[in-house]
Amino acid sequence: GGAYIKAANVDGKAGNIDKPTIITLKKNAYIYNGEGKTKKKLVKKGKTVKTTEARYIGTKLYYKIGNDQFVKAANVGKVKGTELDPINEPDGAATVEVPDTEDVNSTNVTTKRVVSLYDIKGQKYANRTFDAGISQQVSELRYIATSVNSTPQLFFKLASGRGYLKYDDVTMDGKILNPVNTPEQAKADVTVATAADKAKLTQSINEAASVKASELYKLSSSSAKAAYDKAITDGAIVNNNASATIGQVNEAEGAIVAAKAKLNGAKIAVANFNSLTPDEVTAIVKAAANANNVPESAIQFSNNNTTLSIVTNGYTQPLNINDYAVQNSAINR
């Protein structure tokens, strides 16, 4: 339990009363208390309820729907009204939901006890721990040395990229991972990075402006864009840090490369611009809304679906349909 802060007071929007946030459940959802425990009372699929707060309990995101009553965000479909930013960080800073459908090629680890999360230098993060029995997806196994003279130890990297778990603190199941480096390389990675060591990272950061101007970026999902933006921001912090180690630099560069590889923006292929199908119209509206960071309801088609524009507060901004779609006469209806 404990006191809760109203979400409206957190992001400085307290002055204006925003539209209440309404959530619709896409699955039957148990109601949990603030400790993440449930008496298995249900909110039925399709039910719409008001929520006042988004918060992490443990590693999972929940919406508050009453006094000490929460439902898992994973069971929520539509969210209408004011967007709620979570009021706290997840325990262990793990935003990855372990997927319900187990990926056969993935590797998961389960904590043996209450364990700490570590950074690339093998240092514990303050206040970031996992409880015993928590499962997390991991993406690599690597040796990390805390100093040139220390014995490197094995760590699993969380698939979310938010930190490392000690090999000895967890049990592993799924695809077996081999270390991506040697103990010797781990010792070398402790050295402070020179400008030459940072060359690739610098290049990736400098490339961000042209990436963000590209169709690939603009038409990617908002989550892919946000992940790339975060990798660039985090990378710049490392790049500007005079005492950053080679390990930190390589990690930051790897994060940018991975985030860039997940950008998947592409124009919608349509058969004929003069007679768009309902599905093509829907896809173009989605792409334009995403590229311009506006809700889909703000995108309007007119003149028999040949003119595209953003309409907000009565102001109309014309868009070029060719920025979001490409005519491909080879498409079969």
Side-chain angles (χ1 to χ4, degrees):
Y4 292 106
I5 308 166
K6 275 218 178 71
N9 301 341
V10 174
D11 50 12
K13 291 194 202 148
N16 55 9
I17 297 303
D18 289 312
K19 289 201 193 96
T21 306
I22 308 290
I23 56 175
T24 306
L25 293 152
K26 63 178 180 187
K27 295 181 183 161
N28 287 340
Y30 286 135
I31 297 172
Y32 293 82
N33 68 11
E35 264 100 55
K37 300 202 165 67
T38 180
K39 290 183 176 160
K40 306 223 162 166
K41 276 208 174 113
L42 273 181
V43 183
K44 285 268 174 33
K45 175 182 171 177
K47 191 155 166 55
T48 298
V49 285
K50 203 162 133 181
T51 175
T52 52
E53 165 188 293
R55 71 150 52 229
Y56 286 101
I57 301 173
T59 60
K60 292 189 165 56
L61 186 61
Y62 290 76
Y63 283 107
K64 185 175 186 183
I65 60 165
N67 188 18
D68 204 27
Q69 291 188 318
F70 298 85
V71 289
K72 280 187 180 163
N75 295 324
V76 171
K78 275 206 186 112
V79 180
K80 280 169 80 174
T82 307
E83 236 183 279
L84 299 177
D85 281 327
I87 65 162
N88 61 343
E89 269 284 304
D91 288 353
T95 53
V96 272
E97 287 279 350
V98 177
D100 294 337
T101 50
E102 288 298 325
D103 174 2
V104 286
N105 288 322
S106 74
T107 307
N108 287 332
V109 298
T110 306
T111 52
K112 295 180 187 174
R113 47 188 163 269
V114 176
V115 303
S116 292
L117 195 69
Y118 293 80
D119 63 18
I120 186 68
K121 290 168 134 182
Q123 306 293 332
K124 285 181 186 175
Y125 281 113
N127 310 325
R128 287 193 181 180
T129 57
F130 282 108
D131 286 339
I134 300 282
S135 265
Q136 287 296 309
Q137 199 178 332
V138 293
S139 56
E140 71 177 27
L141 180 62
R142 75 159 49 239
Y143 284 102
I144 297 178
T146 50
S147 72
V148 183
N149 305 321
S150 68
T151 305
Q153 291 189 310
L154 279 172
F155 288 81
F156 284 107
K157 182 179 187 176
L158 292 182
S160 63
R162 280 177 165 254
Y164 298 81
L165 289 169
K166 242 186 200 160
Y167 184 86
D168 297 339
D169 284 346
V170 296
T171 54
M172 177 181 75
D173 59 274
K175 188 179 165 195
I176 301 286
L177 295 177
N178 294 315
V180 295
N181 62 348
T182 63
E184 292 68 40
Q185 284 168 327
K187 285 184 176 189
D189 280 350
V190 177
T191 320
V192 170
T194 62
D197 294 324
K198 287 180 174 179
K200 264 165 109 175
L201 177 59
T202 307
Q203 194 182 341
S204 288
I205 292 165
N206 291 343
E207 180 195 63
S210 64
V211 169
K212 288 184 184 189
S214 71
E215 182 182 299
L216 178 72
Y217 175 89
K218 284 182 179 168
L219 299 179
S220 280
S221 69
S222 50
S223 60
K225 287 194 284 198
Y228 177 77
D229 295 350
K230 184 179 185 320
I232 292 292
T233 308
D234 292 351
I237 293 168
V238 172
N239 208 31
N240 297 332
N241 176 359
S243 56
T245 63
I246 291 175
Q248 283 178 294
V249 169
N250 290 346
E251 181 188 49
E253 160 66 7
I256 295 173
V257 170
K260 186 183 167 189
K262 287 194 177 137
L263 294 174
N264 57 358
K267 289 182 183 177
I268 308 302
V270 301
N272 181 350
F273 273 136
N274 297 320
S275 61
L276 296 174
T277 67
D279 285 351
E280 288 168 351
V281 168
T282 304
I284 292 168
V285 167
K286 254 196 166 70
N290 179 42
N292 293 284
N293 290 323
V294 295
E296 287 175 31
S297 56
I299 302 291
Q300 287 195 5
F301 256 123
S302 49
N303 300 336
N304 290 332
N305 293 334
T306 56
T307 311
L308 192 63
S309 47
I310 300 178
V311 181
T312 41
N313 303 331
Y315 171 73
T316 303
Q317 178 193 341
L319 297 175
N320 184 350
I321 196 167
N322 296 299
D323 287 344
Y324 313 103
V326 58
Q327 187 164 303
N328 180 350
S329 50
I331 293 179
N332 294 322
R333 288 275 154 128

